[in-house]
Amino acid sequence: MTLRKRWVGPVCPSPFPWQEGEGAEGELERRLEALSASHARLQEDCERQRRELQGLERRLGSEAAEKQALQRRLGATQRRVRAILQELELHLQTSGRVVIKQQREINDLQTLCHTLQRDLDKSLAAQKTLLQQQQEIEAESMELQEFLQAEKSTLADALKDAEAESLIDN
């Protein structure tokens, strides 16, 4: 079996350089060196990317741990906030009940004040009326005392006159 040379064209080198004869060995060595250099560059690139990947994985692990820590802190903070909100809500409900109770007491006291004010106004009016009646009665009493005093004087004078006449008649 003989190897046939394959025609590739004038620009492309033969895909099988060992078939071309002399100088093929030099070509193979150059290609081997080029491939070896390319392989070395690819290995270096691969190693660099592996190191970058390992760094990224460490960073990712660190960030994941940090994220978990932050999530735990966030959860704890959320629980504290919920507890504070529940406490505030309870306080507001209690305050609301106290406010309602105090408002009722205020309304009751205002009603009592209005009632007491009406009673006071009535008492003042009655007192004024009684004072006026007292003044009128005192005035009538004075007039009556003056009248009685005048009558008494008149009767005393009449009695003296009658006694004097009776003494004269006797």
Side-chain angles (χ1 to χ4, degrees):
M1 173 162 148
T2 60
L3 292 176
R4 289 174 59 190
K5 197 174 188 182
R6 203 169 146 197
W7 187 77
V8 179
V11 180
C12 297
S14 168
F16 307 107
W18 63 89
Q19 295 175 349
E20 294 183 8
E22 208 170 293
E25 193 173 301
E27 178 66 26
L28 283 175
E29 285 179 19
R30 281 191 300 277
R31 287 185 99 191
L32 181 59
E33 286 175 17
L35 287 173
S36 294
S38 177
H39 181 261
R41 281 192 308 273
L42 288 173
Q43 278 185 324
E44 287 173 9
D45 193 36
C46 180
E47 188 59 35
R48 182 185 51 80
Q49 287 181 358
R50 187 183 344 255
R51 284 190 304 270
E52 284 180 18
L53 179 62
Q54 288 172 347
L56 289 173
E57 285 173 345
R58 281 191 302 272
R59 188 170 148 201
L60 180 63
S62 173
E63 287 178 359
E66 188 177 322
K67 179 182 176 184
Q68 285 178 347
L70 287 174
Q71 285 177 334
R72 284 191 299 273
R73 285 179 52 200
L74 177 62
T77 302
Q78 285 174 335
R79 286 189 293 280
R80 283 194 306 267
V81 167
R82 273 192 232 106
I84 290 169
L85 287 176
Q86 287 173 348
E87 187 177 327
L88 286 174
E89 185 177 341
L90 180 63
H91 181 70
L92 284 175
Q93 289 173 352
T94 304
S95 297
R97 286 191 294 269
V98 168
V99 166
I100 290 170
K101 181 181 176 187
Q102 288 177 343
Q103 190 61 45
R104 283 188 205 128
E105 289 175 359
I106 289 170
N107 290 340
D108 292 345
L109 290 173
Q110 285 177 337
T111 302
L112 179 62
C113 284
H114 290 309
T115 302
L116 290 174
Q117 186 64 46
R118 275 195 312 269
D119 291 348
L120 178 63
D121 290 344
K122 287 179 185 177
S123 293
L124 287 175
Q127 183 182 10
K128 188 176 177 182
T129 302
L130 289 174
L131 188 58
Q132 190 176 13
Q133 288 175 352
Q134 181 185 1
Q135 288 172 349
E136 289 173 1
I137 289 172
E138 284 177 358
E140 287 178 12
S141 176
M142 289 295 266
E143 287 176 14
L144 189 56
Q145 280 181 1
E146 287 174 6
F147 174 74
L148 288 176
Q149 189 64 36
E151 285 296 313
K152 184 178 173 185
S153 291
T154 304
L155 283 177
D157 287 343
L159 184 58
K160 281 184 193 175
D161 286 344
E163 281 178 3
E165 238 179 69
S166 138
L167 282 179
I168 297 183
D169 284 339
N170 275 347

